[in-house]
Amino acid sequence: MRDPYEVLGVARGVSQDDLRKAYRKLAKELHPDRNPDNAKAAERFKEVSAAYDILGDAEKRGKYDRGEIDAAGQPRARGFQGGFRGGAGAGARGGRGPFGGNADFGFGGFENGGEDIFDEIFGQMRRTRSGAGAGPGARANRPMRGADRHFNLKIGFLDAARGCKRRLTMPDAKQLDVTIPAGLVDGQQIRLRHQGDAGRNGGEAGDALIEVTVEPHPFFTRQGDDIHLELPVTLDEAVLGAKIAVPTIDGMVAVAVPKGASSGTTLRLKGRGFPLKGGASDQRGDQYVKLKIVLPEKPNSALEKLIEGWVKSHKYDVRAKYTVE
């Protein structure tokens, strides 16, 4: 397999955030839903997902950078991470070997436990002579867990609030039904056990890891488990008070606007927010409705005359505190 950094088109020192952005861009371009019947794109999508499975996990990325695992995520043979280095070239370290003298035979730390190499080599020779197998050793035949697969999924604001089901198409055309829990947070990851790559030598399959993006709503915003809404009201509704219909994630509800309400007056609708994380199924945040007085779009002469007559005997100062010396 190719170097995961090369597959994702990023430098080795790239941040995890920029790495994630590069992966998302490629996954979006290569996704099977956008490239139906395109075997080349499907194979490339699979390669990109496998590369991100290594580098997207900080622990795996560290192991890869240190040479402890290969590009497929499999452990490298102990003691050979550095490759063979002989003589006094660029790889020579000049430390003392196990037989004395200043020599480095390139076995990646030969002086610290180099005897393990010979134990492994001669142990394998003994197993081969005894008929216990002639392959690269028992380690190569042990069960290996399959790689995780990474996916991105977009849902609407109301779907995140209420919960929903979505169908996800895998690179091999297999379809998975994904349950989105009510109250899901933007960027939250959903794990589907054993829906990743198949394991080796009887090992369990990897998982499907789905990162969910919640798209913004035209007028609702989320703050924690609460929902905020700026709602326009007419001049007469603010002055005289009124019962108005207010949108919530559960539908429209009737709310009383108090007499003399000003722009910025905030009404609280208890229990109309998102489900509380870790709380009971019926526990939810609140919805806050901020009123905004909106005048008619076109000037109204009758309203102007009314205000002109009223202000002569009811003049008041709303900016008395807004002064700078």
Side-chain angles (χ1 to χ4, degrees):
M1 295 182 68
R2 288 199 296 156
D3 177 14
Y5 289 102
E6 181 183 344
V7 172
L8 296 176
V10 296
R12 295 186 79 87
V14 68
S15 68
Q16 288 296 119
D17 187 49
D18 288 339
L19 184 76
R20 187 180 301 108
K21 290 178 181 178
Y23 164 70
R24 285 181 175 178
K25 181 180 178 182
L26 289 171
K28 183 176 180 181
E29 294 174 355
L30 299 168
H31 196 278
D33 288 347
R34 300 188 64 179
N35 301 275
D37 303 322
N38 188 333
K40 186 175 181 180
E43 186 61 31
R44 176 83 172 111
F45 181 78
K46 185 175 181 181
E47 183 184 37
V48 166
S49 297
Y52 187 69
D53 178 60
I54 298 293
L55 302 183
D57 184 308
E59 182 179 353
K60 288 184 181 180
R61 181 180 180 181
K63 288 182 179 181
Y64 178 76
D65 290 344
R66 294 190 298 271
E68 296 173 11
I69 59 174
D70 60 20
Q74 304 303 318
R76 295 182 185 273
R78 183 174 53 182
F80 286 90
Q81 290 92 333
F84 184 85
R85 298 189 299 272
R93 294 191 296 270
R96 294 189 61 83
F99 305 111
N102 295 329
D104 179 5
F105 294 94
F107 289 109
F110 186 73
E111 63 272 38
N112 294 320
E115 64 276 3
D116 289 346
I117 298 172
F118 291 102
D119 287 343
E120 185 170 336
I121 293 174
F122 292 124
Q124 175 61 27
M125 292 173 65
R126 287 193 295 270
R127 289 192 295 271
T128 300
R129 287 196 298 268
S130 64
R139 176 179 298 179
N141 295 320
R142 70 182 181 184
M144 300 296 292
R145 182 180 182 277
D148 293 336
R149 304 303 302 272
H150 293 260
F151 301 92
N152 289 302
L153 183 63
K154 286 186 177 182
I155 63 172
F157 184 94
L158 295 180
D159 289 331
R162 301 167 179 168
C164 63
K165 287 186 179 293
R166 288 290 181 269
R167 181 159 289 180
L168 186 69
T169 302
M170 306 281 279
D172 59 1
K174 178 181 176 182
Q175 292 186 324
L176 294 177
D177 289 325
V178 184
T179 298
I180 307 297
L184 176 136
V185 179
D186 180 49
Q188 185 173 329
Q189 189 179 80
I190 296 175
R191 179 184 295 270
L192 299 182
R193 298 279 295 170
H194 302 151
Q195 297 299 328
D197 287 350
R200 301 181 183 180
N201 302 321
E204 68 176 14
D207 301 333
L209 303 177
I210 305 165
E211 185 172 329
V212 183
T213 299
V214 179
E215 296 180 316
H217 193 272
F219 45 80
F220 288 132
T221 58
R222 179 176 184 175
Q223 295 182 23
D225 295 314
D226 297 328
I227 294 175
H228 289 253
L229 165 69
E230 185 175 76
L231 187 69
V233 294
T234 63
L235 180 62
D236 57 291
E237 289 171 338
V239 173
L240 304 175
K243 279 267 188 178
I244 62 173
V246 175
T248 72
I249 61 174
D250 304 307
M252 305 299 291
V253 299
V255 175
V257 176
K259 288 184 178 182
S262 300
S263 281
T265 297
T266 300
L267 310 177
R268 177 191 177 200
L269 306 185
K270 189 175 181 180
R272 294 288 183 175
F274 276 70
L276 296 181
K277 186 176 181 181
S281 58
D282 60 343
Q283 289 184 316
R284 294 168 53 175
D286 301 326
Q287 177 171 321
Y288 292 89
V289 182
K290 184 178 182 180
L291 302 181
K292 177 182 179 182
I293 300 174
V294 178
L295 297 177
E297 293 184 4
K298 296 181 180 180
N300 186 292
S301 58
L303 178 61
E304 290 174 359
K305 290 180 179 179
L306 178 65
I307 296 299
E308 286 174 357
W310 180 87
V311 76
K312 288 178 180 179
S313 58
H314 298 84
K315 194 173 183 66
Y316 63 106
D317 187 358
V318 296
R319 292 179 294 277
K321 296 180 180 179
Y322 290 79
T323 58
V324 177
E325 296 181 358

